[in-house]
Amino acid sequence: MKKLFAVLLVVLLVPAFALAQEVEPTIIKVNDTLDISVVLPDGYAMTETWYGDVLYAQMDPQSEDQPLMVLSLGYSEEYADRSIGDLSEEEMDALIAISITDFANPTYDIAETSEGTKLIVVDENSEHDEYAEIYTVYQGYFIGMLVESVDGTQLTEDNLNVAIQFLSDMQFVHAPEA
């Protein structure tokens, strides 16, 4: 009887522990009609800075073996209410060209969030600076994610995957229409 009670107790408590371990999202107010919900990766602290209507959310690592990440988000009239999947091949090529402009020796690749949103991943292949930027366009917002090595070591695929997961978890939350 005691074994049955113990098993029953474990079965009942497992969902409670699973719920307790879920990460609570952080809500960032973009404007009166839009918030974004983000899930901060383990081992990071975030600070928000606004320059006009552009958000820069810096995610500082608590460990030097994790990269610094900075999310930038701003509405673009050029992409008004469109997402990266809506762009023509010519527009996509132009977006890639703009994305690599400030890099000295870039390589790029196209990746996707877990929701299927295309991402342009640009890597700087410099011996002096180790960073990458990930770009996309979503509902008219140009979104960038800088991923920069804190200790000068090469960024790993895992480092980039943490940033891609952050973008995958990011949700646009629109205020209900009155």
Side-chain angles (χ1 to χ4, degrees), residues 82-102:
R82 297 189 308 157
S83 295
I84 197 166
D86 301 327
L87 303 182
S88 69
E89 187 175 329
E90 293 80 23
E91 290 173 310
M92 187 70 167
D93 290 343
L95 183 56
I96 291 168
I98 290 169
S99 300
I100 64 175
T101 301
D102 292 332

Side-chain angles (χ1 to χ4, degrees), residues 38-97:
V38 297
V39 177
L40 200 59
D42 287 339
Y44 282 88
M46 182 173 67
T47 56
E48 298 173 37
T49 304
W50 288 88
Y51 293 100
D53 292 337
V54 179
L55 165 68
Y56 291 92
Q58 182 164 317
M59 289 169 274
D60 293 305
Q62 295 172 349
S63 169
E64 282 193 14
D65 63 341
Q66 297 172 299
L68 167 76
M69 297 190 297
V70 180
L71 170 71
S72 60
L73 180 137
Y75 191 78
S76 169
E77 289 296 328
E78 182 177 353
Y79 301 111
D81 299 321
R82 297 189 308 157
S83 295
I84 197 166
D86 301 327
L87 303 182
S88 69
E89 187 175 329
E90 293 80 23
E91 290 173 310
M92 187 70 167
D93 290 343
L95 183 56
I96 291 168

Side-chain angles (χ1 to χ4, degrees), residues 14-27:
V14 166
F17 286 123
L19 289 174
Q21 292 181 6
E22 285 186 24
V23 177
E24 196 67 28
T26 300
I27 305 298

